[in-house]
Amino acid sequence: MASTWNGSQPGEPKPLDASKSRDMAATDQARDSLGIVEHVSERSIVRKMDLWLLPFMSLMYFFNSIDRSNLGNAEIDGMSKDLGFVGEQYSLLILLFYIPNGLCDLPLNLLTKRLSGRIMLPSLMVGWGVLATVQPACKGFSGMLVVRLLIGAFEAGFFAGVVFYLTLFYTRAELGFRIALFFGSALLASAFSGLLAFGVFQIQHPTIHGWMWLFIIEGGMTVIFGLIAYFWLPASPQSSWFLNEAEKSVASIRLLRDGSSQVGEVFDIWACLRQWNNWKFFLWCIISFTYPVAFATTANFLPIVLKSLGYNTVLTNLLTVPPNVAGFLVLLAITYSSDRHRERTFHIVGSLFLSLVGLIVLASVNPQVQVGVAYFACFLLASGAYIPSCLVHSWHNNNNLSENSRAATTGLLVGLGNLGGILSAATFRTTYAPRYIPTLIATAGCNLVCICFTLWLGLYMRLENSRKDKEQGLVLRAEDVETQNLMEGEKDPHWRYFL
């Protein structure tokens, strides 16, 4: 929307009166003669991006999630027995996966900024897809470990890369729900993987076991869609094949109004790291390290937890479907509400509390005795564990107006989240079977820590916004100020945090 302090210099704002701040909303629909387009045209552009870009990104992440979580399905079919695993080797396979998966996020996301998502995202997809098809050729733990480490490295940059990529297309008020639509495919992938595993495990072959067919089929489909992605994905809105020239201009205007201080920033490594000397960055690191533990527990071990209910392999895979479908629906509802109300803090805290309740219930009951209660707890866990992945990374990107800085910060924070998965894998030992109480307690503890730090950061932002409003004698919200006018970021007197 139009600025109310045109001509003022950074650090020397022209005072705004309350009536002007209330009138800002009107300028959002009727923009000035320099340019700008009607609201109907803007909605048309968003629809095009939702139609041509978002479903394909969701499909790509769908295969990312399948290749990440199918290890649990393969284990149920006897992978460890066929490969001669002993002791804690299966748990170690999961744990070590998170090391390259966490360490490679930052450099790969910097490459995504440098080379564009059009090149990097398909390349990563083809890489992990090829490696997934190689897994059935492994003859033991060492071979499988090498392949899984390489898969972890290739998959590392994908989620962070897509989150950054979407910030180049969608405004701050659109980002959370769009990340959820693409990320929600992880929940559907878990459901689909269970259904596919159910079918594949019926294949009777003397040398190629069901879990091998699972890796071959899912890896092959990943490679095919990765190759298609080279031709489908644009590098930015300005090079989108589904937008005309006028729409490309409007796409830039949208982002300058509510997203970035500058569109198409040239890659600059020092600009990438500029935000890291802020004390709040430490809070972001703690939040990003702790929230994914519940996600990892749910994704990797939900089939094993369900197996503890006493059902056979086939039915266990089918039982993974309803909790993940329910989780997908809750994810869409919560993120839509978050975008609509432009609020992140309490939506994140609510989702963390939801999964926390599920963890407490699972740790408190005997699944083999109280089957219905334990299964309901799985619904709570799946409904809450996935939401922070969307809203946390929407939130820090909403408060970061530099493309370079968003690329680096998203890469680092997603990497920390992947390393946080080690906490889940390290405590989910086979010796704790069948109830895995230490894992559930550790995961619940991480949820509590994340709730505390999220509230700390969110309340600080609210107090800081209120302080500035009181000093300036007006009420401003984040959406009342065009982001192109905030070249100094948080130092600008008109800056307001996206809460």
Side-chain angles (χ1 to χ4, degrees), residues 13-86:
K14 182 186 294 184
L16 303 180
D17 57 40
S19 61
K20 287 185 178 180
S21 66
R22 287 193 299 267
D23 291 337
M24 285 179 178
T27 64
D28 190 45
Q29 295 180 342
R31 305 200 173 107
D32 57 7
S33 59
L34 289 175
I36 326 246
V37 305
E38 297 179 353
H39 186 60
V40 173
S41 300
E42 184 174 339
R43 292 184 62 184
S44 176
I45 293 169
V46 175
R47 282 197 298 268
K48 284 189 175 183
M49 292 190 295
D50 288 345
L51 177 64
W52 297 109
L53 182 65
L54 204 56
F56 199 85
M57 300 303 304
S58 300
L59 194 60
M60 293 176 73
Y61 195 64
F62 177 85
F63 287 106
N64 175 277
S65 302
I66 282 181
D67 289 326
R68 181 189 295 258
S69 63
N70 59 14
L71 204 65
N73 297 113
E75 174 66 9
I76 291 174
D77 194 53
M79 180 190 68
S80 291
K81 181 180 178 181
D82 293 336
L83 294 180
F85 288 5
V86 296

Side-chain angles (χ1 to χ4, degrees), residues 18 67 71 85 102 109 122 127 141 147 152 231 328 330 350 362 405 424 427 449:
D67 289 326
L71 204 65
F85 288 5
N109 224 37
F141 172 75
V147 174
F231 304 95
F328 176 68
V330 174
L362 280 174
S405 180
S424 173
T427 58
V449 171

Side-chain angles (χ1 to χ4, degrees), residues 1-9 14 16 32 482 484-485:
M1 57 195 74
S3 170
T4 59
W5 59 90
N6 293 336
S8 63
Q9 298 299 317
K14 182 186 294 184
L16 303 180
D32 57 7
E482 289 188 359
Q484 66 178 329
N485 293 322

Side-chain angles (χ1 to χ4, degrees), residues 145-377:
L145 176 61
V146 170
V147 174
R148 293 299 297 180
L149 291 176
L150 291 173
I151 290 176
F154 274 94
E155 289 188 353
F158 191 76
F159 176 68
V162 172
V163 170
F164 166 69
Y165 183 71
L166 291 179
T167 69
L168 305 180
F169 290 84
Y170 291 101
T171 66
R172 295 188 292 180
E174 299 163 348
L175 188 61
F177 184 63
R178 268 65 185 194
I179 293 178
L181 285 172
F182 119 82
F183 182 79
S185 59
L187 294 174
L188 296 181
S190 297
F192 175 80
S193 183
L195 291 173
L196 180 61
F198 169 71
V200 169
F201 291 166
Q202 309 307 308
I203 300 176
Q204 301 297 322
H205 192 280
T207 56
I208 303 179
H209 303 287
W211 64 268
M212 295 180 177
W213 282 115
L214 188 67
F215 286 140
I216 292 170
I217 293 171
E218 292 178 350
M221 291 190 296
T222 298
V223 172
I224 291 172
F225 279 96
L227 293 174
I228 296 173
Y230 280 112
F231 304 95
W232 190 273
L233 297 183
S236 67
Q238 292 70 41
S239 61
S240 297
W241 54 267
F242 49 82
L243 298 178
N244 59 40
E245 291 304 317
E247 289 170 335
K248 292 175 183 177
S249 298
V250 174
S252 297
I253 293 168
R254 281 167 27 86
L255 293 173
L256 290 171
R257 187 190 71 242
D258 189 24
S260 298
S261 58
Q262 181 181 348
V263 171
E265 278 186 332
V266 177
F267 179 75
D268 181 350
I269 188 63
W270 298 114
C272 289
L273 309 179
R274 188 175 299 146
Q275 294 284 334
W276 293 10
N277 62 352
N278 189 313
W279 69 269
K280 293 184 293 298
F281 189 69
F282 170 75
L283 303 186
W284 286 119
C285 290
I286 297 297
I287 292 169
S288 298
F289 185 74
T290 52
Y291 86 77
V293 178
F295 167 83
T297 297
T298 305
N300 286 322
F301 301 104
L302 184 59
I304 298 175
V305 170
L306 290 174
K307 190 176 182 180
S308 70
L309 300 180
Y311 298 109
N312 60 36
T313 298
V314 173
L315 190 54
T316 295
N317 279 291
L318 290 178
L319 286 174
T320 64
V321 177
N324 283 305
V325 172
F328 176 68
L329 297 176
V330 174
L331 172 70
L332 295 185
I334 297 300
T335 54
Y336 178 80
S337 171
S338 179
D339 273 0
R340 182 176 178 83
H341 296 95
R342 298 179 71 101
E343 199 284 332
R344 305 297 189 208
T345 308
F346 295 117
H347 286 80
I348 295 171
V349 170
S351 65
L352 289 165
F353 182 78
L354 187 63
S355 58
L356 176 63
V357 173
L359 291 164
I360 293 173
V361 172
L362 280 174
S364 302
V365 303
N366 187 336
Q368 295 178 336
V369 176
Q370 297 170 289
V371 176
V373 176
Y375 193 45
F376 175 71

Side-chain angles (χ1 to χ4, degrees), residues 92-172:
L92 190 62
L93 198 66
I94 295 175
L95 186 148
L96 294 178
F97 172 89
Y98 287 104
I99 296 177
N101 200 241
L103 296 179
C104 295
D105 274 283
L106 175 58
L108 289 176
N109 224 37
L110 293 178
L111 283 176
T112 300
K113 169 57 183 170
R114 179 68 179 85
L115 301 178
S116 84
R118 178 180 178 272
I119 295 174
M120 281 299 297
L121 297 178
S123 298
L124 295 172
M125 188 175 186
V126 171
W128 85 66
V130 169
L131 289 165
T133 61
V134 172
Q135 290 177 109
C138 298
K139 301 301 181 182
F141 172 75
S142 59
M144 182 63 79
L145 176 61
V146 170
V147 174
R148 293 299 297 180
L149 291 176
L150 291 173
I151 290 176
F154 274 94
E155 289 188 353
F158 191 76
F159 176 68
V162 172
V163 170
F164 166 69
Y165 183 71
L166 291 179
T167 69
L168 305 180
F169 290 84
Y170 291 101
T171 66
R172 295 188 292 180

